[in-house]
Structure formats: structure tokens, C-alpha cells
mmCIF file of all heavy atoms in Angstrom:
data_model
loop_
_atom_site.group_PDB
_atom_site.id
_atom_site.type_symbol
_atom_site.label_atom_id
_atom_site.label_comp_id
_atom_site.label_asym_id
_atom_site.label_seq_id
_atom_site.Cartn_x
_atom_site.Cartn_y
_atom_site.Cartn_z
ATOM 1 N N PHE A 19 -30.924 34.912 -47.307
ATOM 2 C CA PHE A 19 -30.521 36.232 -46.969
ATOM 3 C C PHE A 19 -29.837 36.319 -45.665
ATOM 4 O O PHE A 19 -28.924 37.099 -45.399
ATOM 5 C CB PHE A 19 -31.821 37.120 -46.932
ATOM 6 C CG PHE A 19 -32.255 37.635 -48.314
ATOM 7 C CD1 PHE A 19 -33.394 36.990 -48.893
ATOM 8 C CD2 PHE A 19 -31.544 38.631 -48.971
ATOM 9 C CE1 PHE A 19 -33.827 37.356 -50.157
ATOM 10 C CE2 PHE A 19 -32.071 38.967 -50.218
ATOM 11 C CZ PHE A 19 -33.059 38.458 -50.768
ATOM 12 N N LEU A 20 -30.135 35.404 -44.706
ATOM 13 C CA LEU A 20 -29.443 35.378 -43.433
ATOM 14 C C LEU A 20 -27.999 34.960 -43.622
ATOM 15 O O LEU A 20 -27.016 35.488 -43.093
ATOM 16 C CB LEU A 20 -30.158 34.369 -42.437
ATOM 17 C CG LEU A 20 -29.398 34.090 -41.154
ATOM 18 C CD1 LEU A 20 -29.218 35.427 -40.439
ATOM 19 C CD2 LEU A 20 -30.189 33.049 -40.352
ATOM 20 N N ALA A 21 -27.814 33.941 -44.522
ATOM 21 C CA ALA A 21 -26.401 33.512 -44.853
ATOM 22 C C ALA A 21 -25.637 34.647 -45.455
ATOM 23 O O ALA A 21 -24.457 34.820 -45.145
ATOM 24 C CB ALA A 21 -26.415 32.359 -45.785
ATOM 25 N N ALA A 22 -26.257 35.425 -46.405
ATOM 26 C CA ALA A 22 -25.602 36.550 -47.020
ATOM 27 C C ALA A 22 -25.256 37.627 -45.965
ATOM 28 O O ALA A 22 -24.196 38.249 -46.019
ATOM 29 C CB ALA A 22 -26.466 37.131 -48.134
ATOM 30 N N ASP A 23 -26.203 37.821 -45.071
ATOM 31 C CA ASP A 23 -26.032 38.834 -44.029
ATOM 32 C C ASP A 23 -24.889 38.502 -43.118
ATOM 33 O O ASP A 23 -24.182 39.395 -42.583
ATOM 34 C CB ASP A 23 -27.331 39.029 -43.188
ATOM 35 C CG ASP A 23 -27.262 40.188 -42.299
ATOM 36 O OD1 ASP A 23 -27.315 41.284 -42.722
ATOM 37 O OD2 ASP A 23 -27.176 39.980 -41.044
ATOM 38 N N MET A 24 -24.633 37.139 -42.868
ATOM 39 C CA MET A 24 -23.634 36.779 -41.916
ATOM 40 C C MET A 24 -22.207 36.738 -42.631
ATOM 41 O O MET A 24 -21.201 36.627 -41.875
ATOM 42 C CB MET A 24 -23.904 35.412 -41.401
ATOM 43 C CG MET A 24 -25.177 35.373 -40.465
ATOM 44 S SD MET A 24 -25.643 33.697 -39.989
ATOM 45 C CE MET A 24 -24.269 33.253 -38.950
ATOM 46 N N LEU A 25 -22.194 36.822 -43.930
ATOM 47 C CA LEU A 25 -20.952 36.764 -44.662
ATOM 48 C C LEU A 25 -20.011 37.878 -44.278
ATOM 49 O O LEU A 25 -20.370 39.101 -44.322
ATOM 50 C CB LEU A 25 -21.211 36.763 -46.188
ATOM 51 C CG LEU A 25 -20.016 36.767 -47.087
ATOM 52 C CD1 LEU A 25 -19.223 35.437 -46.901
ATOM 53 C CD2 LEU A 25 -20.391 36.965 -48.480
ATOM 54 N N ILE A 26 -18.790 37.587 -43.825
ATOM 55 C CA ILE A 26 -17.759 38.599 -43.613
ATOM 56 C C ILE A 26 -16.949 38.756 -44.870
ATOM 57 O O ILE A 26 -16.178 37.891 -45.201
ATOM 58 C CB ILE A 26 -16.909 38.185 -42.424
ATOM 59 C CG1 ILE A 26 -17.720 37.833 -41.173
ATOM 60 C CG2 ILE A 26 -15.848 39.209 -42.081
ATOM 61 C CD1 ILE A 26 -18.380 38.997 -40.573
ATOM 62 N N GLU A 27 -17.038 39.884 -45.478
ATOM 63 C CA GLU A 27 -16.355 40.106 -46.686
ATOM 64 C C GLU A 27 -14.843 40.389 -46.433
ATOM 65 O O GLU A 27 -14.514 41.116 -45.562
ATOM 66 C CB GLU A 27 -16.924 41.323 -47.499
ATOM 67 C CG GLU A 27 -18.390 41.190 -47.854
ATOM 68 C CD GLU A 27 -19.350 41.682 -46.706
ATOM 69 O OE1 GLU A 27 -18.805 41.717 -45.574
ATOM 70 O OE2 GLU A 27 -20.455 41.859 -46.983
ATOM 71 N N PRO A 28 -13.968 39.736 -47.187
ATOM 72 C CA PRO A 28 -12.516 39.908 -46.946
ATOM 73 C C PRO A 28 -11.996 41.329 -47.194
ATOM 74 O O PRO A 28 -10.947 41.724 -46.654
ATOM 75 C CB PRO A 28 -11.890 38.896 -47.913
ATOM 76 C CG PRO A 28 -12.945 38.642 -48.983
ATOM 77 C CD PRO A 28 -14.201 38.791 -48.264
ATOM 78 N N ASP A 29 -12.772 42.091 -48.080
ATOM 79 C CA ASP A 29 -12.192 43.446 -48.432
ATOM 80 C C ASP A 29 -12.884 44.556 -47.547
ATOM 81 O O ASP A 29 -12.637 45.721 -47.752
ATOM 82 C CB ASP A 29 -12.552 43.753 -49.900
ATOM 83 C CG ASP A 29 -14.028 43.640 -50.237
ATOM 84 O OD1 ASP A 29 -14.791 42.911 -49.512
ATOM 85 O OD2 ASP A 29 -14.422 44.195 -51.228
ATOM 86 N N VAL A 30 -13.628 44.118 -46.555
ATOM 87 C CA VAL A 30 -14.205 45.097 -45.650
ATOM 88 C C VAL A 30 -13.577 44.865 -44.264
ATOM 89 O O VAL A 30 -13.798 43.897 -43.552
ATOM 90 C CB VAL A 30 -15.720 44.860 -45.432
ATOM 91 C CG1 VAL A 30 -16.314 45.821 -44.499
ATOM 92 C CG2 VAL A 30 -16.470 45.066 -46.823
ATOM 93 N N ASP A 31 -12.721 45.803 -43.842
ATOM 94 C CA ASP A 31 -11.861 45.655 -42.658
ATOM 95 C C ASP A 31 -12.572 46.128 -41.478
ATOM 96 O O ASP A 31 -13.271 47.162 -41.474
ATOM 97 C CB ASP A 31 -10.560 46.412 -42.826
ATOM 98 C CG ASP A 31 -9.685 45.832 -43.956
ATOM 99 O OD1 ASP A 31 -9.754 44.603 -44.198
ATOM 100 O OD2 ASP A 31 -9.045 46.654 -44.639
ATOM 101 N N LYS A 32 -12.391 45.504 -40.352
ATOM 102 C CA LYS A 32 -12.901 45.856 -39.021
ATOM 103 C C LYS A 32 -12.205 47.180 -38.612
ATOM 104 O O LYS A 32 -10.984 47.237 -38.702
ATOM 105 C CB LYS A 32 -12.690 44.792 -37.999
ATOM 106 C CG LYS A 32 -13.203 45.069 -36.648
ATOM 107 C CD LYS A 32 -13.019 43.998 -35.711
ATOM 108 C CE LYS A 32 -13.556 44.266 -34.339
ATOM 109 N NZ LYS A 32 -13.361 43.017 -33.376
ATOM 110 N N PRO A 33 -12.980 48.169 -38.139
ATOM 111 C CA PRO A 33 -12.277 49.424 -37.751
ATOM 112 C C PRO A 33 -11.335 49.306 -36.611
ATOM 113 O O PRO A 33 -11.619 48.542 -35.661
ATOM 114 C CB PRO A 33 -13.541 50.353 -37.405
ATOM 115 C CG PRO A 33 -14.771 49.690 -37.968
ATOM 116 C CD PRO A 33 -14.379 48.221 -38.011
ATOM 117 N N GLU A 34 -10.249 49.933 -36.716
ATOM 118 C CA GLU A 34 -9.281 49.997 -35.544
ATOM 119 C C GLU A 34 -9.527 51.184 -34.705
ATOM 120 O O GLU A 34 -9.174 51.161 -33.526
ATOM 121 C CB GLU A 34 -7.875 50.061 -36.145
ATOM 122 C CG GLU A 34 -7.493 48.785 -36.923
ATOM 123 C CD GLU A 34 -6.103 48.813 -37.422
ATOM 124 O OE1 GLU A 34 -5.424 49.866 -37.226
ATOM 125 O OE2 GLU A 34 -5.639 47.896 -38.136
ATOM 126 N N ASP A 35 -10.150 52.303 -35.241
ATOM 127 C CA ASP A 35 -10.431 53.467 -34.453
ATOM 128 C C ASP A 35 -11.438 53.076 -33.355
ATOM 129 O O ASP A 35 -12.583 52.646 -33.700
ATOM 130 C CB ASP A 35 -10.908 54.544 -35.369
ATOM 131 C CG ASP A 35 -11.211 55.834 -34.611
ATOM 132 O OD1 ASP A 35 -11.154 55.846 -33.364
ATOM 133 O OD2 ASP A 35 -11.387 56.907 -35.348
ATOM 134 N N PRO A 36 -11.146 53.262 -32.097
ATOM 135 C CA PRO A 36 -12.103 52.953 -31.023
ATOM 136 C C PRO A 36 -13.391 53.689 -31.084
ATOM 137 O O PRO A 36 -14.376 53.351 -30.470
ATOM 138 C CB PRO A 36 -11.308 53.211 -29.721
ATOM 139 C CG PRO A 36 -10.267 54.212 -30.113
ATOM 140 C CD PRO A 36 -9.900 53.768 -31.595
ATOM 141 N N MET A 37 -13.444 54.838 -31.810
ATOM 142 C CA MET A 37 -14.600 55.703 -31.948
ATOM 143 C C MET A 37 -15.468 55.218 -33.079
ATOM 144 O O MET A 37 -16.480 55.925 -33.390
ATOM 145 C CB MET A 37 -14.238 57.108 -32.067
ATOM 146 C CG MET A 37 -13.485 57.686 -30.838
ATOM 147 S SD MET A 37 -14.379 57.484 -29.251
ATOM 148 C CE MET A 37 -15.739 58.657 -29.490
ATOM 149 N N LYS A 38 -15.121 54.126 -33.719
ATOM 150 C CA LYS A 38 -15.988 53.629 -34.839
ATOM 151 C C LYS A 38 -16.831 52.450 -34.360
ATOM 152 O O LYS A 38 -16.351 51.620 -33.512
ATOM 153 C CB LYS A 38 -15.058 53.151 -35.955
ATOM 154 C CG LYS A 38 -14.222 54.225 -36.609
ATOM 155 C CD LYS A 38 -15.009 55.134 -37.451
ATOM 156 C CE LYS A 38 -14.114 56.085 -38.237
ATOM 157 N NZ LYS A 38 -14.807 57.044 -39.103
ATOM 158 N N THR A 39 -18.050 52.441 -34.773
ATOM 159 C CA THR A 39 -18.934 51.269 -34.460
ATOM 160 C C THR A 39 -18.340 49.980 -35.071
ATOM 161 O O THR A 39 -17.922 49.918 -36.181
ATOM 162 C CB THR A 39 -20.364 51.572 -34.996
ATOM 163 O OG1 THR A 39 -20.913 52.656 -34.357
ATOM 164 C CG2 THR A 39 -21.248 50.340 -34.713
ATOM 165 N N GLY A 40 -18.348 48.953 -34.270
ATOM 166 C CA GLY A 40 -17.863 47.669 -34.755
ATOM 167 C C GLY A 40 -16.429 47.458 -34.324
ATOM 168 O O GLY A 40 -15.850 46.319 -34.500
ATOM 169 N N SER A 41 -15.698 48.502 -33.769
ATOM 170 C CA SER A 41 -14.327 48.311 -33.325
ATOM 171 C C SER A 41 -14.281 47.484 -32.002
ATOM 172 O O SER A 41 -15.308 47.147 -31.449
ATOM 173 C CB SER A 41 -13.669 49.707 -33.108
ATOM 174 O OG SER A 41 -14.321 50.387 -32.009
ATOM 175 N N ALA A 42 -13.062 47.212 -31.556
ATOM 176 C CA ALA A 42 -12.919 46.451 -30.343
ATOM 177 C C ALA A 42 -13.492 47.216 -29.135
ATOM 178 O O ALA A 42 -13.993 46.490 -28.185
ATOM 179 C CB ALA A 42 -11.419 46.212 -30.091
ATOM 180 N N ALA A 43 -13.544 48.488 -29.118
ATOM 181 C CA ALA A 43 -14.113 49.265 -28.042
ATOM 182 C C ALA A 43 -15.602 49.476 -28.184
ATOM 183 O O ALA A 43 -16.252 49.992 -27.316
ATOM 184 C CB ALA A 43 -13.457 50.616 -27.995
ATOM 185 N N SER A 44 -16.168 49.131 -29.387
ATOM 186 C CA SER A 44 -17.541 49.369 -29.616
ATOM 187 C C SER A 44 -18.503 48.466 -28.773
ATOM 188 O O SER A 44 -18.210 47.343 -28.413
ATOM 189 C CB SER A 44 -17.880 49.194 -31.099
ATOM 190 O OG SER A 44 -19.248 49.388 -31.380
ATOM 191 N N LEU A 45 -19.733 49.014 -28.522
ATOM 192 C CA LEU A 45 -20.741 48.207 -27.786
ATOM 193 C C LEU A 45 -21.466 47.265 -28.811
ATOM 194 O O LEU A 45 -22.169 46.361 -28.389
ATOM 195 C CB LEU A 45 -21.854 49.189 -27.256
ATOM 196 C CG LEU A 45 -21.325 50.182 -26.220
ATOM 197 C CD1 LEU A 45 -22.458 51.124 -25.816
ATOM 198 C CD2 LEU A 45 -20.648 49.541 -25.053
ATOM 199 N N VAL A 46 -21.213 47.452 -30.103
ATOM 200 C CA VAL A 46 -21.853 46.663 -31.149
ATOM 201 C C VAL A 46 -20.729 45.750 -31.711
ATOM 202 O O VAL A 46 -19.712 46.230 -32.211
ATOM 203 C CB VAL A 46 -22.469 47.513 -32.265
ATOM 204 C CG1 VAL A 46 -23.163 46.631 -33.307
ATOM 205 C CG2 VAL A 46 -23.357 48.548 -31.697
ATOM 206 N N ARG A 47 -20.931 44.483 -31.724
ATOM 207 C CA ARG A 47 -19.941 43.504 -32.233
ATOM 208 C C ARG A 47 -19.961 43.591 -33.800
ATOM 209 O O ARG A 47 -21.022 43.567 -34.394
ATOM 210 C CB ARG A 47 -20.282 42.112 -31.783
ATOM 211 C CG ARG A 47 -20.172 41.850 -30.276
ATOM 212 C CD ARG A 47 -20.441 40.348 -29.926
ATOM 213 N NE ARG A 47 -19.410 39.569 -30.594
ATOM 214 C CZ ARG A 47 -19.493 38.207 -30.644
ATOM 215 N NH1 ARG A 47 -20.489 37.589 -30.093
ATOM 216 N NH2 ARG A 47 -18.557 37.555 -31.287
ATOM 217 N N TRP A 48 -18.742 43.624 -34.331
ATOM 218 C CA TRP A 48 -18.594 43.711 -35.764
ATOM 219 C C TRP A 48 -19.260 42.531 -36.454
ATOM 220 O O TRP A 48 -19.932 42.744 -37.463
ATOM 221 C CB TRP A 48 -17.045 43.681 -36.077
ATOM 222 C CG TRP A 48 -16.682 43.713 -37.524
ATOM 223 C CD1 TRP A 48 -16.109 42.680 -38.225
ATOM 224 C CD2 TRP A 48 -16.781 44.786 -38.366
ATOM 225 N NE1 TRP A 48 -15.822 43.155 -39.523
ATOM 226 C CE2 TRP A 48 -16.214 44.387 -39.675
ATOM 227 C CE3 TRP A 48 -17.185 46.141 -38.271
ATOM 228 C CZ2 TRP A 48 -16.133 45.295 -40.768
ATOM 229 C CZ3 TRP A 48 -17.190 46.917 -39.373
ATOM 230 C CH2 TRP A 48 -16.614 46.529 -40.556
ATOM 231 N N GLU A 49 -19.179 41.369 -35.923
ATOM 232 C CA GLU A 49 -19.737 40.215 -36.581
ATOM 233 C C GLU A 49 -21.247 40.181 -36.609
ATOM 234 O O GLU A 49 -21.909 39.550 -37.394
ATOM 235 C CB GLU A 49 -19.263 38.856 -35.903
ATOM 236 C CG GLU A 49 -17.764 38.601 -35.947
ATOM 237 C CD GLU A 49 -16.970 39.404 -34.944
ATOM 238 O OE1 GLU A 49 -17.646 40.103 -34.109
ATOM 239 O OE2 GLU A 49 -15.776 39.498 -35.082
ATOM 240 N N GLU A 50 -21.931 40.934 -35.713
ATOM 241 C CA GLU A 50 -23.356 40.957 -35.589
ATOM 242 C C GLU A 50 -23.918 42.171 -36.256
ATOM 243 O O GLU A 50 -25.277 42.353 -36.320
ATOM 244 C CB GLU A 50 -23.783 41.004 -34.092
ATOM 245 C CG GLU A 50 -23.344 39.673 -33.415
ATOM 246 C CD GLU A 50 -23.645 39.789 -31.854
ATOM 247 O OE1 GLU A 50 -23.863 40.927 -31.380
ATOM 248 O OE2 GLU A 50 -23.611 38.728 -31.253
ATOM 249 N N MET A 51 -23.136 42.995 -36.932
ATOM 250 C CA MET A 51 -23.644 44.175 -37.586
ATOM 251 C C MET A 51 -24.381 43.858 -38.902
ATOM 252 O O MET A 51 -25.127 44.675 -39.444
ATOM 253 C CB MET A 51 -22.546 45.195 -37.811
ATOM 254 C CG MET A 51 -22.084 45.862 -36.535
ATOM 255 S SD MET A 51 -20.665 46.931 -36.832
ATOM 256 C CE MET A 51 -21.272 48.063 -38.053
ATOM 257 N N GLY A 52 -24.095 42.740 -39.455
ATOM 258 C CA GLY A 52 -24.673 42.349 -40.736
ATOM 259 C C GLY A 52 -23.743 42.905 -41.921
ATOM 260 O O GLY A 52 -23.088 43.850 -41.780
ATOM 261 N N ARG A 53 -23.912 42.258 -43.033
ATOM 262 C CA ARG A 53 -23.121 42.634 -44.212
ATOM 263 C C ARG A 53 -23.301 44.131 -44.584
ATOM 264 O O ARG A 53 -22.396 44.874 -44.949
ATOM 265 C CB ARG A 53 -23.545 41.805 -45.365
ATOM 266 C CG ARG A 53 -22.669 41.977 -46.663
ATOM 267 C CD ARG A 53 -22.835 40.866 -47.602
ATOM 268 N NE ARG A 53 -24.182 40.761 -48.106
ATOM 269 C CZ ARG A 53 -24.610 41.200 -49.333
ATOM 270 N NH1 ARG A 53 -23.769 41.888 -50.075
ATOM 271 N NH2 ARG A 53 -25.868 41.108 -49.669
ATOM 272 N N ARG A 54 -24.589 44.529 -44.596
ATOM 273 C CA ARG A 54 -24.898 45.955 -45.018
ATOM 274 C C ARG A 54 -24.348 46.922 -43.960
ATOM 275 O O ARG A 54 -23.897 48.065 -44.262
ATOM 276 C CB ARG A 54 -26.395 46.120 -45.228
ATOM 277 C CG ARG A 54 -26.958 45.317 -46.316
ATOM 278 C CD ARG A 54 -26.257 45.656 -47.669
ATOM 279 N NE ARG A 54 -27.018 45.127 -48.763
ATOM 280 C CZ ARG A 54 -26.591 45.142 -50.043
ATOM 281 N NH1 ARG A 54 -25.506 45.839 -50.309
ATOM 282 N NH2 ARG A 54 -27.300 44.629 -51.050
ATOM 283 N N GLY A 55 -24.500 46.578 -42.661
ATOM 284 C CA GLY A 55 -23.988 47.501 -41.623
ATOM 285 C C GLY A 55 -22.483 47.567 -41.686
ATOM 286 O O GLY A 55 -21.925 48.729 -41.516
ATOM 287 N N ARG A 56 -21.785 46.489 -41.834
ATOM 288 C CA ARG A 56 -20.243 46.556 -41.880
ATOM 289 C C ARG A 56 -19.876 47.344 -43.159
ATOM 290 O O ARG A 56 -18.921 48.148 -43.045
ATOM 291 C CB ARG A 56 -19.760 45.116 -41.949
ATOM 292 C CG ARG A 56 -19.904 44.365 -40.716
ATOM 293 C CD ARG A 56 -19.143 43.009 -40.744
ATOM 294 N NE ARG A 56 -19.788 42.062 -41.704
ATOM 295 C CZ ARG A 56 -20.756 41.267 -41.406
ATOM 296 N NH1 ARG A 56 -21.213 41.136 -40.247
ATOM 297 N NH2 ARG A 56 -21.203 40.455 -42.323
ATOM 298 N N GLU A 57 -20.541 47.137 -44.240
ATOM 299 C CA GLU A 57 -20.228 47.915 -45.477
ATOM 300 C C GLU A 57 -20.443 49.371 -45.250
ATOM 301 O O GLU A 57 -19.591 50.201 -45.698
ATOM 302 C CB GLU A 57 -21.137 47.309 -46.605
ATOM 303 C CG GLU A 57 -20.962 48.074 -47.960
ATOM 304 C CD GLU A 57 -21.909 47.517 -48.924
ATOM 305 O OE1 GLU A 57 -23.130 47.861 -48.779
ATOM 306 O OE2 GLU A 57 -21.537 46.758 -49.868
ATOM 307 N N TYR A 58 -21.458 49.674 -44.617
ATOM 308 C CA TYR A 58 -21.871 51.131 -44.402
ATOM 309 C C TYR A 58 -20.870 51.864 -43.542
ATOM 310 O O TYR A 58 -20.357 52.946 -43.843
ATOM 311 C CB TYR A 58 -23.226 51.235 -43.717
ATOM 312 C CG TYR A 58 -23.623 52.609 -43.336
ATOM 313 C CD1 TYR A 58 -23.790 53.592 -44.270
ATOM 314 C CD2 TYR A 58 -23.958 52.925 -41.976
ATOM 315 C CE1 TYR A 58 -24.215 54.865 -43.863
ATOM 316 C CE2 TYR A 58 -24.318 54.181 -41.584
ATOM 317 C CZ TYR A 58 -24.472 55.104 -42.552
ATOM 318 O OH TYR A 58 -24.843 56.450 -42.160
ATOM 319 N N VAL A 59 -20.443 51.183 -42.462
ATOM 320 C CA VAL A 59 -19.487 51.814 -41.558
ATOM 321 C C VAL A 59 -18.048 51.837 -42.144
ATOM 322 O O VAL A 59 -17.375 52.858 -42.092
ATOM 323 C CB VAL A 59 -19.418 51.091 -40.191
ATOM 324 C CG1 VAL A 59 -18.306 51.553 -39.367
ATOM 325 C CG2 VAL A 59 -20.700 51.241 -39.481
ATOM 326 N N ALA A 60 -17.626 50.804 -42.853
ATOM 327 C CA ALA A 60 -16.265 50.720 -43.362
ATOM 328 C C ALA A 60 -16.038 51.582 -44.533
ATOM 329 O O ALA A 60 -14.908 51.982 -44.849
ATOM 330 C CB ALA A 60 -16.016 49.255 -43.759
ATOM 331 N N THR A 61 -17.133 51.953 -45.338
ATOM 332 C CA THR A 61 -16.915 52.796 -46.537
ATOM 333 C C THR A 61 -17.275 54.185 -46.347
ATOM 334 O O THR A 61 -17.470 54.988 -47.304
ATOM 335 C CB THR A 61 -17.850 52.161 -47.657
ATOM 336 O OG1 THR A 61 -19.159 52.220 -47.287
ATOM 337 C CG2 THR A 61 -17.358 50.728 -48.004
ATOM 338 N N ALA A 62 -17.442 54.691 -45.059
ATOM 339 C CA ALA A 62 -17.703 56.127 -44.826
ATOM 340 C C ALA A 62 -16.615 56.895 -45.427
ATOM 341 O O ALA A 62 -15.402 56.627 -45.400
ATOM 342 C CB ALA A 62 -17.768 56.389 -43.317
ATOM 343 N N PRO A 63 -16.949 58.137 -45.971
ATOM 344 C CA PRO A 63 -15.877 58.970 -46.504
ATOM 345 C C PRO A 63 -14.872 59.388 -45.454
ATOM 346 O O PRO A 63 -15.247 59.651 -44.295
ATOM 347 C CB PRO A 63 -16.718 60.239 -46.986
ATOM 348 C CG PRO A 63 -18.132 59.698 -47.110
ATOM 349 C CD PRO A 63 -18.261 58.678 -46.164
ATOM 350 N N THR A 64 -13.717 59.451 -45.834
ATOM 351 C CA THR A 64 -12.655 59.905 -44.890
ATOM 352 C C THR A 64 -12.488 61.430 -44.825
ATOM 353 O O THR A 64 -13.023 62.075 -45.699
ATOM 354 C CB THR A 64 -11.242 59.272 -45.282
ATOM 355 O OG1 THR A 64 -10.840 59.826 -46.541
ATOM 356 C CG2 THR A 64 -11.371 57.778 -45.353
#
């Protein structure tokens, strides 16, 4: 499960908006958010 959590999915893009968690301006690193966290932030309704 740790290996799955660390997997960076190619179809889940890192946010470019600085007001999004996981972006370059975020206090939370994209790589450390976990697979479920990245999926949750990246798939938010627009």
C-alpha cells in the first residue's frame, strides 16, 4: 500500500494555480500528498 500511495499517476497533473494544495507555492509537497490526496485535489469540480 505504501508503494501504491507513492505512485505518481501520469494522468493526474500537479496544480499550477498557486492557491491549490500541492502547487509550487503550497506548503504541502505534491509528491508527499499520497495517491489519494493528489487524486482528490486534481479532480475537484471546476
Side-chain angles (χ1 to χ4, degrees):
F19 281 102
L20 175 59
D23 189 70
M24 295 174 66
L25 176 67
I26 305 291
E27 300 86 344
D29 58 339
V30 178
D31 297 326
K32 181 177 180 178
E34 296 181 359
D35 184 346
M37 298 304 289
K38 298 286 187 181
T39 296
S41 66
S44 175
L45 302 177
V46 185
R47 294 185 59 190
W48 179 251
E49 296 78 12
E50 295 175 346
M51 288 173 61
R53 182 166 65 98
R54 295 302 191 182
R56 290 188 292 269
E57 178 184 72
Y58 175 61
V59 171
T61 59
T64 64

